Amino acid sequence: VDDNNNAPNSNRDSSSVAVTVATNAHGSLLTASEMIEHSKRFILPRFDELTKAILQFTTHHMALVRLEVIRLIPKLATRCPGIYRRRYLDQSLTFLIESASSAPPPKSRVDVRPTAFSAIGQLASAMRDEEAGGGDIMGPTVRIMKVNPSFIDEKKSDEIDHYFVELDEISDFNKRINTIFGLISE
């Protein structure tokens, strides 16, 4: 914005704004990575907030930003595998499998596939860490999801959060194991 008349600055085009936004997103993800890596238990009270913010970037148009999300998924899962399994594993596996199976666009210099393959393995390892709250990755899946407040009867709502609990006898990894191994044989 030009200081003289508050009109848009003609020197700044939309592509430079997009690059700035992507750079800020990538920098934020790098900062989050360091926080997860070095914060020990400090990050736990904000785990959901941080995880949701990071997973919002799975659809980002720049491969470098998606690459950083791929690197962060196993780190998040390692930090708190029980919560991660119940709330974010399904979405994360879908994103990682799509990333591992999609060739980069012709003009892109960033190929996320090798990192996605590695992240799938690291994610499986994180889910098995029993000391941190993990367990059998092939066992039943329990998902806990927050219910949208618009679905709650206002008369019965007393300003508390409501959750939906779903039990699936087949784990998220078990459902996708053929897809994961299919990626290797392609």
Side-chain angles (χ1 to χ4, degrees), residues 52-83:
K52 287 175 186 175
I54 289 169
L55 293 178
Q56 286 180 343
F57 289 107
T58 59
T59 58
H60 198 278
H61 67 280
M62 290 193 69
L64 188 60
V65 173
R66 290 191 314 277
L67 179 66
E68 197 56 40
V69 173
I70 291 168
R71 290 178 179 149
L72 279 166
I73 286 173
K75 289 180 181 184
L76 287 165
T78 299
R79 179 58 66 206
C80 201
I83 291 173

Side-chain angles (χ1 to χ4, degrees), residues 11-80:
N11 293 334
R12 191 166 189 171
D13 63 357
S14 62
S15 64
S16 66
V17 171
V19 169
T20 301
V21 169
T23 302
N24 291 344
H26 186 250
S28 296
L29 292 171
L30 291 172
T31 301
S33 178
E34 291 302 312
M35 288 173 54
I36 294 165
E37 192 76 28
H38 301 290
S39 69
K40 303 289 182 213
R41 297 192 185 278
F42 173 76
I43 203 68
L44 293 180
R46 300 241 183 235
F47 183 78
D48 281 324
E49 180 182 348
L50 181 63
T51 304
K52 287 175 186 175
I54 289 169
L55 293 178
Q56 286 180 343
F57 289 107
T58 59
T59 58
H60 198 278
H61 67 280
M62 290 193 69
L64 188 60
V65 173
R66 290 191 314 277
L67 179 66
E68 197 56 40
V69 173
I70 291 168
R71 290 178 179 149
L72 279 166
I73 286 173
K75 289 180 181 184
L76 287 165
T78 299
R79 179 58 66 206
C80 201

